[in-house]
Amino acid sequence: MSSPPRIYIDAPLDEGQAVSLDEKQSKYLTRVMRLEDGADLRVFNGRNGEWRARLVQESAKKVQVEPVACTREQYAAPDLTLLFAPLKKARTDFVVEKACELGVRRIQPVMTEFTQSSRVRSDRLQAVVIEAAEQTERMDIPTVEDDVSLWKALDHWNPTLPLYYCDEAGEALPMAEVLSHAKETAAGLLIGPEGGFSAAERERLRSLSFVRPVTLGPRILRAETAVVSALTLWQSLVGDWRNDPYLPKTSNG
Amino acid sequence: MSSPPRIYIDAPLDEGQAVSLDEKQSKYLTRVMRLEDGADLRVFNGRNGEWRARLVQESAKKVQVEPVACTREQYAAPDLTLLFAPLKKARTDFVVEKACELGVRRIQPVMTEFTQSSRVRSDRLQAVVIEAAEQTERMDIPTVEDDVSLWKALDHWNPTLPLYYCDEAGEALPMAEVLSHAKETAAGLLIGPEGGFSAAERERLRSLSFVRPVTLGPRILRAETAVVSALTLWQSLVGDWRNDPYLPKTSNG
């Protein structure tokens, strides 16, 4: 019933081209995953698709991975960026994990006026997305940017792409309704901190032509719930949940 | 900026009819919430709307709540039932909290073949939903049923209502597409355990006329993510996220 373990490897993958893993990753595969010499596994590198592979013990502390055959082609998540205000550590990790599961291409932490948390370490979060990508069976790894101020993020936003902004405080249309008119297949989603945006931030956001305010229902959602809900709606109505690339072509147009 | 604290009280609410709280809830309000004699708060009971109220110290250990004015009318969440296979304790709590935030009316734990967790205590989960209802500003409290077997849940399901079943293993259409044809404004969502459903369960599910298999995109979602995603889609395309009852009527039809 269960598939072989799925591991991200930061090296080119090609048939018969064995990859030597460093001691840390070797130890993970043999001690944590308990894989033995000759074990089956699946590997991907975010560029060359997914490969069936074999583990080869290279020395006492190091193993190699030998790609056998490419079993799934490379497939990129849609061009979707999540901008979110960092929360406490465990909840930030949760948001980043879910963003990876839900198929964003880029994660941009933004510091806002009411953000309660200190800056995030993007290298630590990159480890979170790699593990999430292994689990969620995605073929690419989203990038996690260093945090920037909301103002800077807005200044650098490509103004031809819509930035959906979940606004619990003001008048806005339901997100599904707004997305049903979307023409652009690339976008950003901005989720604020638990305390919402400040008046100055809301004024600036509403003044920008590319910003599209949306609502997520009549109840107050926690920030991490809003992230999952907003990403789900975008993927379902605009992104790659519409035409599931892994489904047989006969079941959907 | 912040509103007065919002508390669930299990008693009738009417103007000037003070409600004596028991020692446990009195202690919570005075020690944990640090509310003093005369403090403003908001109370709701799931039946009589939300009330602005005043705290009155009744004795050393007990307080009363005096409703002053009804500030929001009673409003029921849509007729949506979540059926889910229990996970480990913290993740089950998470699912139940999110189901409350996302506006389900009823939560039904179901034991399946691959469910790894033992039975759940519905009284403990009821406490989780009350706290979530306070936070998410909803007016009613979802009910949490005792767990039952999947077979029994299916036997007792009202066959005139659709039961959307998230099937990661088989052919099915994207959930948003299936929901776009939904006519019924009451429904159930069934989310399986991490290991999916067994072959026998899938066969039974697919044989039932009211069961509608759906998919949630090309990546593998963790069970709790699938819960949030599926509830979001139903609320957005069928439920009360479409016509936000708290929005000014001019902003939406």
Side-chain angles (χ1 to χ4, degrees):
Chain A
M1 223 209 70
S2 61
S3 306
R6 187 169 189 270
I7 305 291
Y8 171 77
I9 290 177
D10 188 13
L13 295 174
D14 202 356
E15 199 177 321
Q17 303 288 310
V19 177
S20 291
L21 302 187
D22 62 21
E23 287 192 16
K24 192 180 161 201
Q25 202 166 16
S26 297
K27 193 172 164 183
Y28 177 75
L29 291 187
T30 53
R31 304 285 173 81
V32 180
M33 306 292 291
R34 296 176 177 277
L35 298 178
E36 296 180 349
D37 192 36
D40 281 337
L41 68 166
R42 294 178 296 155
V43 294
F44 69 112
N45 63 3
R47 307 187 296 277
N48 302 136
E50 183 179 295
W51 289 70
R52 189 155 54 75
R54 211 163 53 93
L55 193 82
V56 178
Q57 195 81 40
E58 180 183 292
S59 67
K61 293 191 168 179
K62 293 183 74 179
V63 297
Q64 290 184 342
V65 162
E66 211 174 82
V68 176
C70 185
T71 46
R72 276 168 63 200
E73 284 185 23
Q74 186 60 29
Y75 163 71
D79 190 356
L80 178 63
T81 300
L82 172 68
L83 298 91
F84 80 105
L87 305 159
K88 284 178 190 161
K89 185 164 175 271
R91 291 173 65 206
T92 289
D93 286 3
F94 178 89
V95 162
V96 167
E97 177 187 300
K98 295 310 156 206
C100 183
E101 270 183 58
L102 295 164
V104 309
R105 195 180 285 183
R106 190 165 152 265
I107 297 168
Q108 173 67 67
V110 291
M111 306 306 281
T112 69
E113 205 170 320
F114 297 151
T115 298
Q116 301 271 335
S117 298
S118 54
R119 308 188 60 172
V120 297
R121 282 190 46 200
S122 57
D123 54 343
R124 194 178 62 74
L125 294 180
Q126 195 68 41
V128 173
V129 294
I130 286 175
E131 194 181 329
E134 288 174 344
Q135 299 290 323
T136 199
E137 308 259 328
R138 69 183 271 176
M139 307 299 287
D140 57 337
I141 307 281
T143 54
V144 183
E145 309 289 344
D146 288 325
D147 57 62
V148 296
S149 71
L150 175 61
W151 303 124
K152 194 171 169 187
L154 295 174
D155 285 342
H156 286 85
W157 188 258
N158 173 350
T160 65
L161 299 185
L163 179 62
Y164 299 98
Y165 135 71
C166 297
D167 186 1
E168 61 197 31
E171 287 185 34
L173 292 175
M175 187 164 183
E177 189 175 332
V178 173
L179 288 175
S180 69
H181 306 298
K183 285 182 187 66
E184 308 84 351
T185 56
L189 300 178
L190 169 63
I191 308 286
E194 211 79 317
F197 294 99
S198 72
E201 287 168 343
R202 296 183 66 243
E203 194 179 336
R204 171 84 197 281
L205 283 164
R206 295 225 169 211
S207 75
L208 294 167
S209 63
F210 56 82
V211 169
R212 311 218 180 133
V214 294
T215 58
L216 293 171
R219 288 160 291 272
I220 306 291
L221 303 187
R222 298 194 71 161
E224 67 269 24
T225 317
V227 166
V228 176
S229 293
L231 292 175
T232 295
L233 289 173
W234 192 86
Q235 289 289 18
S236 287
L237 300 171
V238 182
D240 69 5
W241 290 23
R242 289 180 310 156
N243 287 303
D244 189 327
Y246 302 138
L247 284 178
K249 286 301 171 205
T250 50
S251 74
N252 191 13
Chain B
M1 224 208 70
S2 60
S3 307
R6 186 168 189 272
I7 305 290
Y8 171 78
I9 290 175
D10 188 14
L13 296 174
D14 202 357
E15 198 175 323
Q17 303 288 310
V19 177
S20 291
L21 302 188
D22 62 20
E23 286 193 15
K24 191 180 161 202
Q25 202 167 18
S26 296
K27 194 172 164 184
Y28 177 76
L29 291 186
T30 53
R31 304 284 173 81
V32 181
M33 306 292 294
R34 297 176 177 277
L35 298 178
E36 296 181 349
D37 192 36
D40 281 336
L41 67 166
R42 294 177 296 155
V43 295
F44 69 112
N45 63 2
R47 307 187 294 277
N48 303 138
E50 181 179 296
W51 290 70
R52 190 156 52 79
R54 211 162 52 94
L55 193 82
V56 179
Q57 196 81 40
E58 181 182 293
S59 67
K61 291 192 169 179
K62 291 184 73 178
V63 298
Q64 291 184 341
V65 163
E66 212 175 81
V68 176
C70 184
T71 45
R72 277 167 63 199
E73 285 185 22
Q74 186 59 29
Y75 163 71
D79 190 356
L80 178 63
T81 300
L82 173 68
L83 298 92
F84 80 104
L87 306 160
K88 285 179 188 158
K89 185 162 175 273
R91 291 173 63 206
T92 289
D93 288 2
F94 177 89
V95 163
V96 166
E97 178 188 300
K98 295 310 157 204
C100 183
E101 269 182 59
L102 295 165
V104 310
R105 194 179 286 183
R106 189 165 152 267
I107 297 168
Q108 174 66 69
V110 292
M111 306 306 280
T112 68
E113 206 170 319
F114 298 151
T115 298
Q116 303 271 334
S117 298
S118 54
R119 308 188 59 170
V120 297
R121 283 191 46 200
S122 58
D123 56 340
R124 194 179 60 76
L125 293 180
Q126 196 67 43
V128 173
V129 294
I130 287 175
E131 193 181 330
E134 289 174 344
Q135 298 289 323
T136 198
E137 307 259 328
R138 69 184 269 175
M139 307 299 286
D140 55 341
I141 307 281
T143 54
V144 183
E145 309 290 345
D146 288 324
D147 56 63
V148 295
S149 72
L150 175 61
W151 304 124
K152 193 171 170 186
L154 294 174
D155 285 343
H156 286 85
W157 187 256
N158 173 350
T160 66
L161 300 185
L163 179 62
Y164 299 98
Y165 135 70
C166 297
D167 186 1
E168 60 198 31
E171 288 185 32
L173 292 175
M175 185 165 183
E177 188 175 333
V178 173
L179 288 174
S180 70
H181 306 297
K183 287 181 185 65
E184 308 85 352
T185 57
L189 300 178
L190 169 62
I191 308 285
E194 211 80 319
F197 293 99
S198 72
E201 288 168 343
R202 298 184 64 242
E203 194 179 336
R204 171 87 196 279
L205 283 163
R206 295 225 169 210
S207 75
L208 294 166
S209 63
F210 56 81
V211 169
R212 311 219 179 133
V214 295
T215 58
L216 293 171
R219 287 159 292 271
I220 305 291
L221 302 186
R222 297 194 70 159
E224 68 268 24
T225 316
V227 167
V228 175
S229 293
L231 293 174
T232 296
L233 288 174
W234 191 86
Q235 289 289 17
S236 287
L237 299 172
V238 182
D240 70 4
W241 289 24
R242 289 180 310 158
N243 287 303
D244 189 327
Y246 301 138
L247 284 178
K249 286 301 170 205
T250 49
S251 73
N252 193 11

